[in-house]
Amino acid sequence: MVGSPIETATWEGATGAYYTGLGSGELTWVLASVLLCVVALVAGSRHEKAAYRKLKR
Amino acid sequence: MWRRPPVTHRRGIGMETEIAALTTELESLKAAVAVTNRSVAEIFYYVSIPLMVLIHAGFLSYEMGASRSKNALASGIKNILAFAFIVPTFFLAGWWIYWAFPTGFTLTPGAAGVSGLEYATGVASPLSTSMGPNLSDSASGVFWGAFTMFAATTASIMSGALIERIQIAGFVILAIVLGSFVWILGAAWGWHADGWLVTGFGYHDFGASGVVHTIAGFFTLGVLINLGPRIGKFRPDGSANVIAGHNIPMTIVGLMLIIAGFWGFLMACAIYPGEPWSWSASAFASIYGTPTTLSALTFNILMGMAGGAIAAWLMTREPFWMMSGALGGIISVAAGLDFWWPPLAFAVGFAGGIIMPLVARFVEARGIDDAVGAVALHGAVGVWGVLAVGVFAVGYPALGGTGVITTSFFGQLVGAGVMALVGFIPGYVVSLILKLAGFLRVPAEAERLGLDRTKVPSTAYPEGLATTQPAE
């Protein structure tokens, strides 16, 4: 899921995609990105609601 | 015994050698030119991105300045989050939507061969090898980046109108819906060579008067209806109070930054020539494949901007609206930016500068509190920009090639209507759902105290705002 897809210890002849985890990690990190966005939004909303409750007290 | 070869024979060998050398040199030069062209194309779009970041610096400054000091940082947070959430969500969904839906919801490919389910999944799915570092693809990243900035612009357009009373979570959801789903669907339909509005109606919207501004403005209108006005905005008799921002100079400079950033926005609307993905080997083209030049854009951006600013001065005598008018002038001419005779662009921009404050007053008179006039500036003036093409620029081929559909008033009218509805309906529906779920409006106590003191851990002006006496 991570690491270099270039199997030889040289950039000679390298073409095409070369990002970390090529061919094995794409879906994992796409789902992780979605999860991080959702978690951030939920946590941010909870913090905001707590601030409003505190103000009402 | 050595004999000197015949002269003709020696000349033949020399010529062959020279031809071979020249051929090699020519191939080398062609390869070098190709590398240069590819690099300049990549840099062209790369540079448009920081220029467009100026739009967001401008919106940030403008929105914070337009807020009262008790809400300045909360407005800033809202603006920053819109930008930040648009980036990953546009990567995950928006870019794929643009390439998948031009022909409608059928996901079928169009005549230009650059749309539909298979094409979109190949080049724009978040799982595609084009959507990451790739030595064989120097275009996808910069194109995606430019479109991401367009997307963030739509969310920032909405952001300013909603200041001082919207919840962060509700706002972020609205920003994602607008920036990563709604406007890009409109762009697929009307800002793509396979878009059904383009191929079926000859819709022309070079600089996104409709697909960015109209959609964002009408989406904002839908949200404002459900959000309601700020406390104290309207008197019991329905007349409006002025709720002044705490730093109007900051707001005005912000507007100027937005205008600076629009040069990046509009340059990124042009397709660089000479690449395998280009429309032309020799000249810039619009997103539809019709020819244009950066000079054409330059004439008309400047003339439209000037027209809008002067008209807004005549209408209001007020610097906030003058700078909004300058922006409105650009929005007015954006759809036909590649066509206008510059003095006509000045007049079209001038009309936009007149329309904007009139619509802002009309919206306010309906009891809608649009804190920065976004509905008027982007929604109404965007419609004007689209219709202006249908009034003054009828008969231009709407696509590259021969025998293609041409621009018409009817086509522009249909396009403007579609853009307004594509914006308004989801804006109204999603904000209504958020309202019913309790995620839209902050409590009245928080609004009265100020959102900064309620939920922001830092203070905009810890030493207070200086008050000065006028000079004697």
Short mmCIF file of all heavy atoms in Angstrom, two decimals, chain A residues 10-40:
data_model
loop_
_atom_site.label_atom_id
_atom_site.label_comp_id
_atom_site.label_asym_id
_atom_site.label_seq_id
_atom_site.Cartn_x
_atom_site.Cartn_y
_atom_site.Cartn_z
N THR A 10 17.23 2.62 -10.03
CA THR A 10 17.58 3.69 -10.97
C THR A 10 16.30 4.28 -11.56
O THR A 10 15.28 3.60 -11.66
CB THR A 10 18.46 3.17 -12.12
OG1 THR A 10 18.68 4.25 -13.04
CG2 THR A 10 17.81 2.01 -12.86
N TRP A 11 16.40 5.56 -11.93
CA TRP A 11 15.28 6.20 -12.63
C TRP A 11 15.38 5.95 -14.13
O TRP A 11 14.47 6.32 -14.88
CB TRP A 11 15.27 7.71 -12.37
CG TRP A 11 14.78 8.06 -11.00
CD1 TRP A 11 15.54 8.32 -9.89
CD2 TRP A 11 13.42 8.19 -10.58
NE1 TRP A 11 14.75 8.59 -8.81
CE2 TRP A 11 13.43 8.53 -9.21
CE3 TRP A 11 12.19 8.05 -11.21
CZ2 TRP A 11 12.26 8.73 -8.48
CZ3 TRP A 11 11.03 8.26 -10.49
CH2 TRP A 11 11.07 8.59 -9.13
N GLU A 12 16.46 5.34 -14.59
CA GLU A 12 16.62 5.06 -16.02
C GLU A 12 15.47 4.19 -16.51
O GLU A 12 15.16 3.14 -15.91
CB GLU A 12 17.93 4.31 -16.27
CG GLU A 12 19.18 5.15 -16.05
CD GLU A 12 19.30 6.30 -17.04
OE1 GLU A 12 18.93 6.10 -18.20
OE2 GLU A 12 19.73 7.39 -16.62
N GLY A 13 14.84 4.63 -17.56
CA GLY A 13 13.76 3.84 -18.15
C GLY A 13 12.43 3.96 -17.45
O GLY A 13 11.45 3.33 -17.86
N ALA A 14 12.37 4.76 -16.39
CA ALA A 14 11.10 4.89 -15.68
C ALA A 14 10.11 5.69 -16.52
O ALA A 14 10.46 6.74 -17.07
CB ALA A 14 11.32 5.58 -14.34
N THR A 15 8.90 5.20 -16.65
CA THR A 15 7.83 5.91 -17.37
C THR A 15 6.53 5.71 -16.60
O THR A 15 6.42 4.83 -15.75
CB THR A 15 7.63 5.38 -18.80
OG1 THR A 15 7.34 3.98 -18.70
CG2 THR A 15 8.85 5.61 -19.67
N GLY A 16 5.54 6.53 -16.97
CA GLY A 16 4.21 6.34 -16.41
C GLY A 16 4.12 6.71 -14.94
O GLY A 16 4.94 7.44 -14.40
N ALA A 17 3.08 6.17 -14.30
CA ALA A 17 2.80 6.52 -12.90
C ALA A 17 3.88 5.94 -11.99
O ALA A 17 4.39 4.84 -12.21
CB ALA A 17 1.44 5.98 -12.51
N TYR A 18 4.23 6.70 -10.96
CA TYR A 18 5.29 6.24 -10.05
C TYR A 18 5.00 6.63 -8.61
O TYR A 18 5.88 6.69 -7.78
CB TYR A 18 6.65 6.82 -10.49
CG TYR A 18 6.73 8.33 -10.41
CD1 TYR A 18 7.32 8.95 -9.32
CD2 TYR A 18 6.23 9.12 -11.42
CE1 TYR A 18 7.39 10.33 -9.23
CE2 TYR A 18 6.30 10.50 -11.35
CZ TYR A 18 6.88 11.10 -10.26
OH TYR A 18 6.94 12.47 -10.18
N TYR A 19 3.72 6.89 -8.33
CA TYR A 19 3.37 7.33 -6.97
C TYR A 19 3.44 6.15 -5.98
O TYR A 19 3.43 4.99 -6.39
CB TYR A 19 1.99 7.98 -6.94
CG TYR A 19 0.88 7.17 -7.56
CD1 TYR A 19 0.29 6.11 -6.88
CD2 TYR A 19 0.44 7.46 -8.85
CE1 TYR A 19 -0.72 5.38 -7.44
CE2 TYR A 19 -0.58 6.72 -9.42
CZ TYR A 19 -1.16 5.68 -8.72
OH TYR A 19 -2.15 4.93 -9.29
N THR A 20 3.46 6.52 -4.71
CA THR A 20 3.58 5.50 -3.66
C THR A 20 2.40 4.53 -3.70
O THR A 20 1.25 4.95 -3.80
CB THR A 20 3.61 6.17 -2.27
OG1 THR A 20 2.52 7.11 -2.21
CG2 THR A 20 4.91 6.90 -2.03
N GLY A 21 2.72 3.28 -3.63
CA GLY A 21 1.66 2.26 -3.56
C GLY A 21 0.95 2.02 -4.87
O GLY A 21 -0.18 1.50 -4.87
N LEU A 22 1.60 2.34 -5.99
CA LEU A 22 0.97 2.14 -7.31
C LEU A 22 0.45 0.71 -7.47
O LEU A 22 1.17 -0.26 -7.27
CB LEU A 22 2.02 2.43 -8.41
CG LEU A 22 1.60 2.13 -9.84
CD1 LEU A 22 0.50 3.06 -10.29
CD2 LEU A 22 2.79 2.24 -10.78
N GLY A 23 -0.83 0.63 -7.82
CA GLY A 23 -1.41 -0.68 -8.11
C GLY A 23 -1.87 -1.46 -6.90
O GLY A 23 -2.47 -2.53 -7.03
N SER A 24 -1.62 -0.94 -5.71
CA SER A 24 -2.03 -1.72 -4.53
C SER A 24 -2.69 -0.87 -3.45
O SER A 24 -3.48 -1.39 -2.67
CB SER A 24 -0.82 -2.44 -3.92
OG SER A 24 0.14 -1.48 -3.50
N GLY A 25 -2.36 0.43 -3.42
CA GLY A 25 -2.83 1.22 -2.28
C GLY A 25 -3.85 2.28 -2.58
O GLY A 25 -4.30 2.98 -1.67
N GLU A 26 -4.25 2.39 -3.85
CA GLU A 26 -5.11 3.52 -4.21
C GLU A 26 -6.41 3.55 -3.42
O GLU A 26 -6.75 4.57 -2.81
CB GLU A 26 -5.43 3.50 -5.71
CG GLU A 26 -4.27 3.88 -6.62
CD GLU A 26 -3.49 2.67 -7.08
OE1 GLU A 26 -3.58 1.61 -6.40
OE2 GLU A 26 -2.79 2.76 -8.11
N LEU A 27 -7.13 2.46 -3.43
CA LEU A 27 -8.46 2.45 -2.81
C LEU A 27 -8.36 2.68 -1.30
O LEU A 27 -9.18 3.41 -0.73
CB LEU A 27 -9.16 1.11 -3.10
CG LEU A 27 -10.58 1.00 -2.55
CD1 LEU A 27 -11.47 2.08 -3.14
CD2 LEU A 27 -11.16 -0.38 -2.84
N THR A 28 -7.35 2.10 -0.70
CA THR A 28 -7.18 2.28 0.75
C THR A 28 -7.06 3.75 1.11
O THR A 28 -7.72 4.24 2.04
CB THR A 28 -5.91 1.54 1.21
OG1 THR A 28 -6.03 0.17 0.84
CG2 THR A 28 -5.71 1.67 2.71
N TRP A 29 -6.22 4.46 0.36
CA TRP A 29 -5.99 5.87 0.72
C TRP A 29 -7.12 6.78 0.27
O TRP A 29 -7.36 7.82 0.88
CB TRP A 29 -4.63 6.34 0.17
CG TRP A 29 -3.52 5.58 0.84
CD1 TRP A 29 -2.75 4.60 0.30
CD2 TRP A 29 -3.13 5.69 2.21
NE1 TRP A 29 -1.89 4.09 1.24
CE2 TRP A 29 -2.10 4.74 2.43
CE3 TRP A 29 -3.54 6.47 3.28
CZ2 TRP A 29 -1.47 4.59 3.66
CZ3 TRP A 29 -2.93 6.32 4.51
CH2 TRP A 29 -1.91 5.39 4.69
N VAL A 30 -7.82 6.36 -0.78
CA VAL A 30 -9.04 7.11 -1.15
C VAL A 30 -10.06 7.00 -0.02
O VAL A 30 -10.63 8.01 0.43
CB VAL A 30 -9.63 6.56 -2.48
CG1 VAL A 30 -11.08 7.00 -2.65
CG2 VAL A 30 -8.80 7.04 -3.66
N LEU A 31 -10.27 5.79 0.47
CA LEU A 31 -11.22 5.60 1.57
C LEU A 31 -10.75 6.30 2.84
O LEU A 31 -11.56 6.89 3.57
CB LEU A 31 -11.43 4.10 1.82
CG LEU A 31 -12.11 3.34 0.69
CD1 LEU A 31 -12.16 1.84 1.00
CD2 LEU A 31 -13.50 3.87 0.41
N ALA A 32 -9.44 6.28 3.06
CA ALA A 32 -8.90 6.98 4.24
C ALA A 32 -9.16 8.48 4.13
O ALA A 32 -9.49 9.14 5.13
CB ALA A 32 -7.41 6.69 4.37
N SER A 33 -9.02 9.03 2.94
CA SER A 33 -9.28 10.47 2.74
C SER A 33 -10.74 10.80 3.04
O SER A 33 -11.04 11.80 3.69
CB SER A 33 -8.96 10.87 1.30
OG SER A 33 -7.62 10.63 1.00
N VAL A 34 -11.63 9.93 2.54
CA VAL A 34 -13.05 10.15 2.80
C VAL A 34 -13.31 10.12 4.31
O VAL A 34 -13.98 10.99 4.87
CB VAL A 34 -13.92 9.08 2.09
CG1 VAL A 34 -15.38 9.21 2.49
CG2 VAL A 34 -13.75 9.18 0.58
N LEU A 35 -12.73 9.11 4.95
CA LEU A 35 -12.93 8.95 6.40
C LEU A 35 -12.40 10.16 7.17
O LEU A 35 -13.07 10.67 8.08
CB LEU A 35 -12.23 7.67 6.86
CG LEU A 35 -12.45 7.29 8.32
CD1 LEU A 35 -13.91 6.95 8.56
CD2 LEU A 35 -11.57 6.10 8.70
N LEU A 36 -11.24 10.64 6.79
CA LEU A 36 -10.67 11.80 7.49
C LEU A 36 -11.56 13.04 7.34
O LEU A 36 -11.74 13.80 8.29
CB LEU A 36 -9.25 12.09 6.96
CG LEU A 36 -8.17 11.10 7.38
CD1 LEU A 36 -6.89 11.35 6.60
CD2 LEU A 36 -7.91 11.18 8.88
N CYS A 37 -12.10 13.22 6.15
CA CYS A 37 -13.01 14.37 5.94
C CYS A 37 -14.24 14.23 6.83
O CYS A 37 -14.68 15.20 7.47
CB CYS A 37 -13.44 14.46 4.46
SG CYS A 37 -12.15 15.03 3.35
N VAL A 38 -14.81 13.03 6.86
CA VAL A 38 -16.03 12.82 7.66
C VAL A 38 -15.73 13.00 9.14
O VAL A 38 -16.47 13.68 9.87
CB VAL A 38 -16.61 11.41 7.37
CG1 VAL A 38 -17.75 11.09 8.34
CG2 VAL A 38 -17.10 11.32 5.94
N VAL A 39 -14.63 12.42 9.59
CA VAL A 39 -14.26 12.55 11.01
C VAL A 39 -14.04 14.02 11.38
O VAL A 39 -14.52 14.49 12.42
CB VAL A 39 -12.98 11.72 11.31
CG1 VAL A 39 -12.39 12.09 12.67
CG2 VAL A 39 -13.31 10.24 11.26
N ALA A 40 -13.35 14.74 10.52
CA ALA A 40 -13.09 16.17 10.80
C ALA A 40 -14.39 16.95 10.87
O ALA A 40 -14.59 17.79 11.77
CB ALA A 40 -12.19 16.75 9.71
#
